Amino acid sequence: MGKENIRFFAAWIILGKVFATFSSDPEHTTVNAYVNSTATPPALPTTTEWIRDYAGIVSKFSLRTADIPDDDMCYLVAGRPESIQECEFNPGMQTFVIIHGWTVTGMFESWVPKLVSALYEREPGANVIVVDWLTRANQHYTTSAAYTKLVGRDVAKFVTWIQKELHLSWEKIHLLGYSLGAHVAGIAGDLTDHKISRITGLDPAGPTFEHAEDQDTLSRDDAQFVDVLHTNTRGSPGRSIGIQKAVGHIDIYPNGGTFQPGCNIQNTLMGIALEGIKGLQMFHYQVKMHLFSKDSLSFTEQPIKVSLYGTHGEKEDIPHVLPVMNANTTLSFLITTDMDMGDLMMVKLRWEKDAIISWSDWWGSSRFHVRKLRIKSGETQSKIIFSAKEAEFADLLRGGEAAVFVKSKEDNMSRKEKLMHKMKTQGSLFAHNA
C-alpha cells in the first residue's frame, strides 16, 4: 500500500462522515471515481452465549498511541476490565479498530502505523486499536481467508465486551479493515448484537470472496454505514487482488479501481498466495534502531550488510538498502533469509560505501551511534533486544568495521512498564490533545 494511498484512505475516512447520510437510502450507491494518483474453520454458533466466551479469543487488541504508533505497548483484554485503565482508554472519544490483512512476513505492514498516525492527526484524543491476528494471517492465502470467520468472532466479542463495559456509544465505533481484514470487519459487524456505526473496507480481498454469501464477507448489512475503496481490481472476477463487486453503501473505485501506482508488490504477493506457496519459505526479521548523532546528518539510499548469528546457524552479509538515514531518528526495516537461525544471539551491521561520492567523505562526519536493536521474528513473533557489545553505544561508520550487538537481558515487559509509568506521570500525547 503506497504512501499516497494511505493519505487518500485517511482523507476518505474523515470525508466519509459526509457520505454516511446516504446509508438510509434504500438504493445502493456506487461511485466510480477516477482519482489521479502519483503513486475451513468450524461453523459459527447459532446461539448468543458464545459472544461472552472470552477465553476463546486468539486475536490481540493493542491500544496504539500517537507518540508510539508503530509498536504494541498495551493490550486491551476482553474480560479484564483493569486492562482498560492500564491502557488509558478514553471512553468519551471516537474509537477506531484497525484490522490488517494477509501477510507473507508474519508482521504488520508499514501502512498500519501510518494510518494510526493519520487517524490521531484528524481525531486527537481518539482511541486507535490495532487487531493482531498475524499467526492466522501468515498462512497459505486460502487458509488465512477461511480464518476470517474466527477472527471476525474475536473482534465481535471484543467490541461487544468493551461497549458494554464502558457503555460506549455505538455511534463512536468505527472498524477499518484492509484486504482480508475488511471481511473480518464485515463478519464482526454481522455478529454483534447491535449494529456498529461504521465499517470502512480498504481494498477488500477478492479471491474466495467475490461470489461468497453476505454473512461470509463484507456487505452493506454489517454496519449502519459501510464505505469501501476498491484500489486493485484488475483481472477476472475471483482472481483479482481486490473484490470487484460493490459491497457497501458507497463503493469508490480510484483510477477505475484497477491499479494504483506504487503498489506493484501486491501483485507478487497475491501470485504467491494463489500458487499456494507460503512466502517461498523465507524467514523474516524486522529490525528497529535509533540513530544518534550530534551532527545533522542525512543520507539516502545507503547500502548496509546484516549478519545474523543464532542457535541453529548463521547468515552473513545479507544486503539491504536503507532509503534514508537521518540523525536522531528511528529506522525500521525488514531482513529476509532462507535459513532458520533459531534463537538469535548476535547481530552485526556494516554500513557500506555507496557508489556516489559524497562531500562528507572529504570532510564532515559519516558516523552514527546506535545503543540497541529491537528485532521481531515474523515466524515466531518473538521480540528480542540486542545491546552494543563493547560499550553503551556501537559506532555505525560508513565504510568502517561492523557494529556488533548481542542479546540483551532487558525484556520487553520492563520496557512496557517504564513507558506506562511515563504515561501516567507525564501524560501521553493523545491525552494532551483530547
Side-chain angles (χ1 to χ4, degrees):
M1 188 184 293
K3 183 184 295 184
E4 294 300 323
N5 285 342
I6 289 292
R7 293 173 179 168
F8 181 79
F9 287 156
W12 171 257
I13 289 163
I14 305 304
L15 180 63
K17 290 181 177 179
V18 178
F19 292 104
T21 57
F22 291 108
S23 62
S24 60
D25 190 339
E27 297 297 324
H28 181 94
T29 303
T30 299
V31 182
N32 190 3
Y34 293 85
V35 181
N36 292 323
S37 60
T38 58
T40 315
L44 299 182
T46 56
T47 64
T48 59
E49 294 300 319
W50 67 271
I51 205 164
R52 291 185 292 272
D53 179 17
Y54 308 132
I57 295 179
V58 174
S59 307
K60 300 176 182 178
F61 301 84
S62 67
L63 182 61
R64 297 280 180 100
T65 63
D67 42 356
I68 308 180
D70 62 342
D71 208 350
D72 296 332
M73 301 304 299
C74 193
Y75 291 102
L76 294 163
V77 182
R80 289 189 58 237
E82 61 271 21
S83 67
I84 298 175
Q85 184 175 1
E86 290 171 358
C87 294
E88 298 187 349
F89 185 92
N90 192 340
M93 301 300 293
Q94 180 77 30
T95 296
F96 298 102
V97 181
I98 300 174
I99 311 171
H100 65 81
W102 181 70
T103 172
V104 170
T105 65
M107 299 176 184
F108 288 113
E109 297 169 297
S110 61
W111 63 266
V112 173
K114 294 176 183 177
L115 184 54
V116 171
S117 296
L119 291 173
Y120 274 126
E121 288 176 6
R122 288 163 174 78
E123 294 279 350
N127 305 291
V128 182
I129 298 169
V130 174
V131 180
D132 176 352
W133 63 288
L134 292 172
T135 56
R136 286 167 166 174
N138 185 29
Q139 307 294 327
H140 292 284
Y141 174 81
T142 53
T143 301
S144 293
Y147 270 133
T148 56
K149 292 184 179 181
L150 296 182
V151 182
R153 286 177 62 188
D154 286 354
V155 175
K157 289 179 181 181
F158 172 80
V159 170
T160 302
W161 168 73
I162 200 167
Q163 188 278 328
K164 292 184 181 299
E165 191 70 30
L166 296 176
H167 304 288
L168 296 180
S169 169
W170 285 98
E171 297 300 318
K172 293 186 176 182
I173 299 178
H174 183 174
L175 307 186
L176 308 95
Y178 170 62
S179 186
L180 290 182
H183 298 302
V184 169
I187 292 168
D190 182 59
L191 292 174
T192 54
D193 55 8
H194 189 286
K195 270 203 172 184
I196 290 171
S197 174
R198 183 179 175 191
I199 295 177
T200 296
L202 306 177
D203 201 25
T208 77
F209 293 97
E210 191 73 53
H211 307 293
E213 299 294 329
D214 285 353
Q215 66 268 22
D216 297 329
T217 182
L218 178 63
S219 72
R220 65 181 310 203
D221 297 325
D222 297 330
Q224 296 177 36
F225 177 57
V226 178
D227 54 323
V228 184
L229 290 169
H230 303 260
T231 59
N232 209 325
T233 60
R234 183 170 54 184
S236 60
R239 290 189 64 85
S240 65
I241 295 176
I243 201 168
Q244 295 182 359
K245 68 179 180 181
V247 292
H249 293 99
I250 288 182
D251 289 75
I252 187 168
Y253 297 78
N255 286 326
T258 58
F259 172 73
Q260 312 304 316
C263 292
N264 291 337
I265 186 63
Q266 295 187 33
N267 294 325
T268 302
L269 297 183
M270 188 54 70
I272 294 173
L274 294 177
E275 291 300 322
I277 302 173
K278 184 189 174 186
L280 302 179
Q281 291 302 305
M282 294 176 178
F283 298 88
H284 308 84
Y285 300 93
Q286 182 186 52
V287 183
K288 291 184 180 181
M289 63 179 178
H290 189 86
L291 302 178
F292 294 90
S293 178
K294 58 182 177 59
D295 301 315
S296 299
L297 304 180
S298 182
F299 302 89
T300 59
E301 301 298 322
Q302 293 300 298
I304 64 170
K305 288 189 176 179
V306 183
S307 297
L308 305 175
Y309 303 87
T311 55
H312 293 171
E314 58 188 47
K315 189 75 172 182
E316 296 185 322
D317 295 334
I318 304 170
H320 186 79
V321 176
L322 295 175
V324 63
M325 295 177 70
N326 291 331
N328 303 312
T329 58
T330 300
L331 298 184
S332 179
F333 56 96
L334 187 68
I335 295 296
T336 302
T337 175
D338 58 356
M339 288 182 60
D340 181 4
M341 302 289 120
D343 295 332
L344 289 183
M345 305 302 294
M346 183 172 67
V347 179
K348 293 182 181 180
L349 294 181
R350 187 168 74 249
W351 183 7
E352 303 280 284
K353 280 195 175 183
D354 56 16
I356 301 175
I357 298 177
S358 170
W359 289 114
S360 63
D361 290 331
W362 300 98
W363 66 78
S365 174
S366 298
R367 184 193 304 266
F368 290 103
H369 308 291
V370 181
R371 175 182 283 124
K372 61 185 64 175
L373 306 178
R374 302 184 187 277
I375 300 182
K376 179 180 180 181
S377 167
E379 284 64 42
T380 66
Q381 296 294 295
S382 63
K383 297 180 181 179
I384 308 173
I385 297 175
F386 290 83
S387 302
K389 182 180 180 181
E390 302 297 339
E392 182 180 1
F393 291 90
D395 287 343
L396 198 58
L397 177 65
R398 184 155 68 169
E401 296 294 322
V404 183
F405 302 86
V406 294
K407 189 174 181 179
S408 173
K409 294 181 180 180
E410 178 183 355
D411 57 38
N412 291 316
M413 182 57 69
S414 63
R415 176 171 176 251
K416 173 183 174 180
E417 290 172 348
K418 291 177 182 178
L419 178 62
M420 292 303 298
H421 176 73
K422 179 180 178 181
M423 292 174 65
K424 290 178 180 179
T425 56
Q426 302 179 15
S428 64
L429 180 60
F430 75 89
H432 286 165
N433 291 333

